[in-house]
Amino acid sequence: MKDLHIVYITDRNYEMPTCISILSIKKNCLKSVNWNIHVLSENLTKLGKERILALEEPGFKINIIEVKNDEYRFLAAKCLNKGIHVTQAALYKFDIPNLFRNIDKALYLDGDILVNRDITNIFDIDISNSYLAAVDDMGNEYEENRNFLLATRIGLNSSNYFNSGVMLLNLKKMRNDDIYQKLMKFRIEKKNYFMDQDAFNYILHESRVKIPYNYNFLTSVFEEFEITEINNKFFKDAYEDCELCLKDQFVIHMTGRFKPWKYNIPWVTELFLKYYNQSFYKDDKIYFLSPLKAINDERKEIFKEYNKIYRYWKNDTRKVWKFPFNKIKKGSYIVLYGAGEVGRDLYMQIVESEFCHLNLWVDKDFQNKSEMVSNPEEIKSTEFDYIIIGILRKNIVQNVKNYLKKMEIDESQIVTL
């Protein structure tokens, strides 16, 4: 019988969903092949290992490999996204070709995936002259609405950006061309918003076979679109409702911060429980949280921050700075640079006056500012008419202007107080 290889990467945070994912393969895939499930593990619990290994049976072999790389902890801290929902363990994807030197082709799957239908045929995709086969990232469709293309923000002149949660990998070609070193070089030296995905796209995008959305359906699209929009954007065949859409997918990727084993998510949690209740975890009761409460709590925090800034602005009698209304056109899209006292005051004037649209608020010390404040690197992937420097000290203003000029931003778009 033919040997097929699947690789997972997990840690103790994802050991349960990874176990459920492996179970979903066992339940849905052909028995006429030998399945070899390889799990790269970092700091799994003893119980987690036992439950994963307990899924093994003839024709369904499971191999757990302990991995550790302290450098990945440092790299993980350099992600530009705030609140990223992927752990540093994802960086072990770079190591797969070298860890499995006797394997020429393998399917990589994230731990937050359900295999909902037989995926044996995915191994028949011809990648002999390519590094991998992968699905276009569905998130690129709704990020575009925010002028935030996943490809262009990392310097790719392309709209083709794939999701690294499902990848059929040509390990032989990757080893021959030393792809590990190229991925690591990008991860260390360039901009990375995701743990591993940006590096894979930048290095391998020209040698990728594109496969249908059904092989990596991101459940987070349900948060962004109605079913009619999902049909129009991703599928030629119309689905009558979200439940039917979900059932028809080969690989379901449970993306986003609301995981169906923590939150009660329409359609997705029910499907997850179908496999959970057949697993060795079935007696471990899940106490679900409400995603609506989480969203409401988040809004309360933003409103609290807004009120704090508002009170500061109303009570401050020392203001000697004003928003530069005379230097920009009404209705313009702007970036506000600076989140100190001056920047916060300008922010309030923008909100109060509704004179222009604030597309982005940045500060070099963004990590110690409000959640509303972002890394200045985000400017490169944001559309705007003007950048307003909300800083008074002349030497700092000049440093910011020099920084913006290095981004090749036209001086006429830079406004100072």
Side-chain angles (χ1 to χ4, degrees):
M1 288 194 295
K2 184 165 59 173
D3 283 303
L4 300 181
H5 297 270
I6 293 179
V7 179
Y8 284 92
I9 298 168
T10 193
D11 56 20
R12 64 176 54 205
N13 296 312
Y14 266 71
E15 62 186 31
M16 183 273 285
T18 299
C19 184
I20 305 306
S21 182
I22 296 171
L23 174 65
S24 72
I25 296 173
K26 187 175 177 180
K27 293 290 182 181
N28 291 306
C29 292
L30 288 180
K31 309 297 183 184
S32 57
V33 297
N34 287 319
W35 292 96
N36 297 274
I37 312 298
H38 309 276
V39 181
L40 303 182
S41 92
E42 184 182 60
N43 200 27
L44 285 188
T45 66
K46 181 182 178 182
L47 181 61
K49 288 181 182 178
E50 289 174 352
R51 286 179 168 177
I52 290 173
L53 289 171
L55 294 172
E56 190 173 52
E57 63 180 28
F60 198 83
K61 184 178 179 181
I62 297 176
N63 177 30
I64 295 180
I65 303 169
E66 295 287 344
V67 290
K68 184 177 181 180
N69 187 329
D70 291 334
E71 185 178 10
Y72 289 165
R73 299 182 191 280
F74 167 74
L75 291 177
K78 293 179 65 180
C79 265
L80 293 173
N81 267 359
K82 286 186 177 182
I84 191 168
H85 309 295
V86 179
T87 67
Q88 69 183 38
L91 292 171
Y92 291 108
K93 293 180 194 179
F94 297 170
D95 294 301
I96 292 173
N98 296 326
L99 286 172
F100 300 98
R101 289 194 166 273
N102 296 324
I103 301 173
D104 291 340
K105 181 192 283 189
L107 178 66
Y108 170 79
L109 296 178
D110 274 353
D112 57 349
I113 270 173
L114 290 176
V115 174
N116 200 43
R117 296 173 63 185
D118 179 39
I119 58 168
T120 308
N121 289 342
I122 199 172
F123 289 89
D124 295 330
I125 296 170
D126 183 9
I127 56 170
S128 56
N129 296 313
S130 304
Y131 289 121
L132 77 164
V135 178
D136 280 351
D137 195 300
M138 300 172 86
N140 210 38
E141 290 292 331
Y142 52 81
E143 291 286 2
E144 184 176 6
N145 295 333
R146 304 179 185 124
N147 302 311
F148 211 68
L149 283 170
L150 303 182
T152 56
R153 69 179 180 177
I154 60 169
L156 274 178
N157 185 22
S158 170
S159 60
N160 293 321
Y161 184 96
F162 63 86
N163 184 279
S164 66
V166 179
M167 298 185 291
L168 182 65
L169 300 171
N170 185 339
L171 301 184
K172 182 178 180 180
K173 183 174 174 60
M174 294 175 78
R175 282 191 296 269
N176 290 343
D177 296 343
D178 201 9
I179 292 302
Y180 170 81
Q181 291 298 334
K182 295 175 182 178
L183 291 169
M184 283 298 291
K185 181 176 173 62
F186 180 89
R187 193 59 179 76
I188 292 168
E189 298 179 358
K190 304 294 184 180
K191 290 193 302 179
N192 293 268
Y193 293 86
F194 292 110
M195 199 63 68
D196 64 278
Q197 190 165 281
D198 289 325
F200 273 108
N201 271 273
Y202 194 89
I203 301 301
L204 305 181
H205 75 283
E206 291 183 346
S207 184
R208 189 252 308 196
V209 175
K210 188 185 296 189
I211 54 178
Y213 290 114
N214 306 78
Y215 285 95
N216 191 358
F217 180 86
L218 309 188
T219 58
S220 51
V221 299
F222 289 144
E223 299 173 22
E224 301 290 334
F225 301 125
E226 298 291 349
I227 187 61
T228 53
E229 295 173 288
I230 292 172
N231 285 327
N232 291 335
K233 286 180 178 292
F234 306 114
F235 301 107
K236 293 179 180 179
D237 298 325
Y239 292 111
E240 292 180 8
D241 56 43
C242 293
E243 185 177 8
L244 288 175
C245 174
L246 201 62
K247 285 181 179 179
D248 199 41
Q249 308 308 309
F250 285 86
V251 177
I252 295 167
H253 196 168
M254 298 171 287
T255 48
R257 63 192 176 106
F258 297 124
K259 298 300 186 185
W261 55 87
K262 291 183 178 179
Y263 295 90
N264 196 351
I265 311 300
W267 311 295
V268 184
T269 295
E270 182 181 357
L271 184 62
F272 176 80
L273 287 175
K274 171 186 170 182
Y275 296 102
Y276 184 87
N277 290 331
Q278 298 177 67
S279 76
F280 299 106
Y281 287 91
K282 64 183 178 182
D283 293 329
D284 297 349
K285 184 173 177 57
I286 300 176
Y287 295 92
F288 291 110
L289 302 172
S290 165
L292 294 177
K293 183 180 185 304
I295 293 170
N296 191 46
D297 289 345
E298 187 176 78
R299 287 174 176 168
K300 285 179 181 178
E301 286 301 311
I302 293 173
F303 187 70
K304 188 188 299 182
E305 184 70 23
Y306 175 90
N307 279 339
K308 184 169 68 175
I309 297 171
Y310 182 81
R311 287 194 298 271
Y312 160 82
W313 183 60
K314 285 292 186 184
N315 297 330
D316 184 20
T317 59
R318 300 177 294 101
K319 289 199 303 294
V320 293
W321 52 84
K322 291 185 179 180
F323 186 84
F325 294 104
N326 60 325
K327 295 183 180 181
I328 69 171
K329 294 178 182 179
K330 187 174 182 179
S332 297
Y333 292 87
I334 66 166
V335 171
L336 176 59
Y337 195 117
E341 289 187 0
V342 179
R344 293 197 300 271
D345 182 62
L346 295 181
Y347 169 82
M348 283 307 308
Q349 291 181 59
I350 293 168
V351 172
E352 290 283 309
S353 68
E354 298 183 351
F355 182 80
C356 55
H357 306 284
L358 181 61
N359 269 11
L360 184 67
W361 188 9
V362 303
D363 191 281
K364 186 178 180 181
D365 190 30
F366 72 101
Q367 291 177 321
N368 296 315
K369 302 295 183 183
S370 159
E371 281 293 320
M372 294 180 283
V373 181
S374 301
N375 190 322
E377 288 290 307
E378 303 279 5
I379 294 171
K380 295 178 182 178
S381 52
T382 302
E383 290 188 2
F384 58 87
D385 298 308
Y386 302 98
I387 296 179
I388 298 172
I389 302 177
I391 300 168
L392 291 183
R393 291 176 61 181
K394 291 182 179 180
N395 63 322
I396 300 178
V397 170
Q398 189 57 52
N399 288 340
V400 172
K401 289 177 74 174
N402 293 338
Y403 171 75
L404 296 175
K405 287 176 183 177
K406 287 180 180 178
M407 291 186 185
E408 298 183 350
I409 293 169
D410 194 299
E411 193 166 358
S412 65
Q413 293 180 283
I414 303 172
V415 177
T416 58
L417 301 181

